[in-house]
Amino acid sequence: MMTEELDHIDIKILQTLQKNSNLTVKELASCINLSTTPTFERQKRLEREGYIERYMAVINAEKLGNRVIALCNIRLKQHTQALIQEFMDAVQTIEEITECYNTSGDYDFLIKIYAKDMKAYQQFMLNTLGTITCIGSLHSNFIIAEIKNTHGIPIE
């Protein structure tokens, strides 16, 4: 099913849940002006069809002491299937890496890393990323201030 096949009620459900996934079915139904049973059925269908992948809380990283956010561009030593898979497998096991994208351009991957401070980031670079032998080079950019982070995607 493509987005074009979603009706305005499905889109409203997605928009509403993206803003607050903690709503009860009754609250969601009230927001979209539909009774609870059809709202529940539509929500479950959107989950089954993969439009809704999961529900989660957005945690404040700074309150947990993670004051450094780095975006790190990674270039692999070679572009072999084995090395690419090795890197992708390694990333899955590293808690500090919260996002990883395979990219085009000068670098192969972009990762987002949270650390307590610069010393912790340095230790992460040496003791974690430094042990991934398929990495050829990397370039880190540090976030000075977060201007916008909605955690959402446009839904039309």
Side-chain angles (χ1 to χ4, degrees), residues 85-102:
Q85 192 62 54
E86 177 187 337
F87 180 78
M88 292 190 305
D89 290 344
V91 164
Q92 298 298 325
T93 66
I94 302 169
E95 186 175 84
E96 293 89 347
I97 299 174
T98 60
E99 297 176 50
C100 177
Y101 303 96
N102 187 208

Side-chain angles (χ1 to χ4, degrees), residues 76-78 83 86-87 90 128-136:
L76 300 182
K77 288 180 180 176
Q78 296 179 347
L83 290 183
E86 177 187 337
F87 180 78
T128 304
L129 287 185
T131 65
I132 303 173
T133 59
C134 60
I135 294 177

Side-chain angles (χ1 to χ4, degrees), residues 2 4 13 20 27 33 42 50 75 79 88-89 104 109 120 132:
M2 301 297 290
E4 297 86 65
I13 289 171
N20 182 1
E27 292 167 331
N33 297 316
R42 282 175 177 262
R75 186 177 294 129
H79 294 115
M88 292 190 305
D89 290 344
S104 64
F109 292 93
I132 303 173

Side-chain angles (χ1 to χ4, degrees), residues 17-35:
L17 288 175
Q18 187 166 247
K19 289 177 188 165
N20 182 1
S21 67
N22 203 33
L23 294 173
T24 65
V25 174
K26 185 177 180 181
E27 292 167 331
L28 177 59
S30 176
C31 290
I32 64 169
N33 297 316
L34 195 65
S35 63

